[in-house]
Amino acid sequence: MKRPILPFLCLITVLIIGFISCSDSSSPSSSNKPKPTVYELLATDEGDITIAIKAGQIIEITTTDSVNSNPDGLVVDCDLWTDADGIPDCQYVTSEPNCRNLPFMALIGTLDSDYFLVGTSYCDTFTTDDTLTLCINDWVFYDNDGKFTISVLKK
């Protein structure tokens, strides 16, 4: 008995084409998708993170983990663990000029000497080439604890 070989070859060809078209490595969308840059900012770091921004670029920032200004401290409304949104009702927010009227221990950004809350989630489109600086809203760092993990996606 002879079996027709043409239907068998067609089936094999369709399977091969299907396999190749479903492969992740050949998919143009997976190779062109931007990947975030991840930074770790320790609460004891006095330094900042600087990010170069291009005009027209969309910047998405997601921040996880938590920090504390002084785990052994006695300032009831300020010596607390917080995420990157900070402590808005800490007495330092309005009484300490270094707090810039932004939540205490929050992740903040600065552009052209203007400070703003970045927090746990931030997205903006920038109109000019610039440098975005990220820091923790505090002025004494040696007694802090914790860290922020910051994911920055440029589109």
Side-chain angles (χ1 to χ4, degrees), residues 39-40 50 62 92 104-105 155:
Y39 302 90
E40 186 174 274
T50 56
T62 304
Y92 298 144
F104 183 58
M105 297 302 288
K155 296 181 181 179

Side-chain angles (χ1 to χ4, degrees), residues 1-12:
M1 258 188 349
K2 289 186 177 183
R3 292 188 182 184
I5 194 159
L6 187 57
F8 179 72
L9 289 175
C10 287
L11 178 62
I12 295 296

Side-chain angles (χ1 to χ4, degrees), residues 41-47 67-69 105 136 138 140-147:
L41 182 59
L42 299 177
T44 54
D45 287 347
E46 290 188 43
V67 296
N68 189 309
S69 66
M105 297 302 288
I136 295 175
D138 193 9
V140 177
F141 294 89
Y142 74 90
D143 57 351
N144 293 353
D145 196 8
K147 68 176 179 174

Side-chain angles (χ1 to χ4, degrees), residues 124-136:
D124 200 4
T125 303
F126 291 83
T127 56
T128 60
D129 291 356
D130 213 329
T131 300
L132 171 63
T133 303
L134 302 176
C135 62
I136 295 175

